[in-house]
Amino acid sequence: MATENKNLSDYDKATIPDAKEFRFGIVVSEWNDTITEGLYKGAYDALIDNGVLPTNIIRWDVPGSFELIYGCKKMQEQNVNAVIAIGSVIQGETKHFDFVCEGVTQGIKDLNIISDIPVIFCVLTDNTMQQAIERSGGKHGNKGTEAAIAAIKMAELRNSSRI
């Protein structure tokens, strides 16, 4: 497992760009909400910890992970510096898992190609609920924290690369 020896919540604050002027959109799937709320908390807390004002964080909820694509596309229009897509898809007994995971992954990738506003992929694709718990504030830390740090870094990259 990629997270076996890594805590997703660990970061060196000294290496994080100044984020106090940035605005972030967070689009959260309501499906598996015990997991997505944990991920949101990790992302929100990390943004605040790095100087982002609460008024500069916009949250929208969408029904499921597949709807993250449209929600993020619309969020890119909200004068934000980066968007974080938060979802959780847990393996079931059918191929639905594969279709949702592939669609969301490709959709968010497409948004990053089409738009100048980065979208950070914070969608857990786990085999079990326990794995999701461990990555949304459990023993492996919080993928939401990791996504927020990535969003800050990408917002800074976007900002510094403008002519």
Side-chain angles (χ1 to χ4, degrees):
M1 258 180 274
T3 55
E4 190 67 35
N5 296 310
K6 177 177 178 11
N7 187 309
L8 298 167
S9 300
D10 290 342
Y11 62 91
D12 180 0
K13 196 167 178 177
T15 66
I16 309 304
D18 182 6
K20 68 181 178 211
E21 299 298 323
F22 291 142
R23 287 175 38 91
F24 295 92
I26 305 177
V27 183
V28 182
S29 169
E30 296 171 340
W31 193 257
N32 292 327
D33 64 334
T34 57
I35 302 305
T36 60
E37 287 303 319
L39 294 169
Y40 173 77
K41 181 175 177 3
Y44 182 88
D45 290 350
L47 291 173
I48 296 298
D49 185 50
N50 285 282
V52 178
L53 299 173
T55 55
N56 284 342
I57 301 171
I58 303 167
R59 176 186 170 145
W60 288 353
D61 293 335
V62 296
S65 290
F66 204 80
E67 291 77 22
L68 287 169
I69 303 162
Y70 183 78
C72 289
K73 178 179 129 179
K74 298 310 281 181
M75 183 66 82
Q76 288 176 315
E77 300 170 1
Q78 300 303 306
N79 192 30
V80 295
N81 298 96
V83 177
I84 302 170
I86 293 179
S88 172
V89 186
I90 299 172
Q91 178 71 56
E93 297 177 4
T94 69
K95 294 181 85 52
H96 182 73
F97 173 86
D98 298 324
F99 298 134
V100 172
C101 292
E102 180 72 18
V104 174
T105 301
Q106 294 304 317
I108 291 175
K109 180 263 305 172
D110 290 346
L111 292 176
N112 279 303
I113 292 170
I114 294 167
S115 175
D116 187 43
I117 308 296
V119 179
I120 307 305
F121 187 84
C122 183
V123 180
L124 297 182
T125 56
D126 295 303
N127 290 320
T128 66
M129 177 62 83
Q130 187 59 42
Q131 287 177 340
I133 291 167
E134 292 169 356
R135 289 161 182 76
S136 61
K139 75 176 187 178
H140 291 300
N142 195 313
K143 183 73 173 175
T145 302
E146 184 182 65
I149 299 307
I152 293 169
K153 290 179 177 182
M154 293 305 291
E156 175 61 23
L157 175 65
R158 178 179 179 261
N159 191 50
S160 65
S161 66
R162 293 182 149 214
I163 298 175

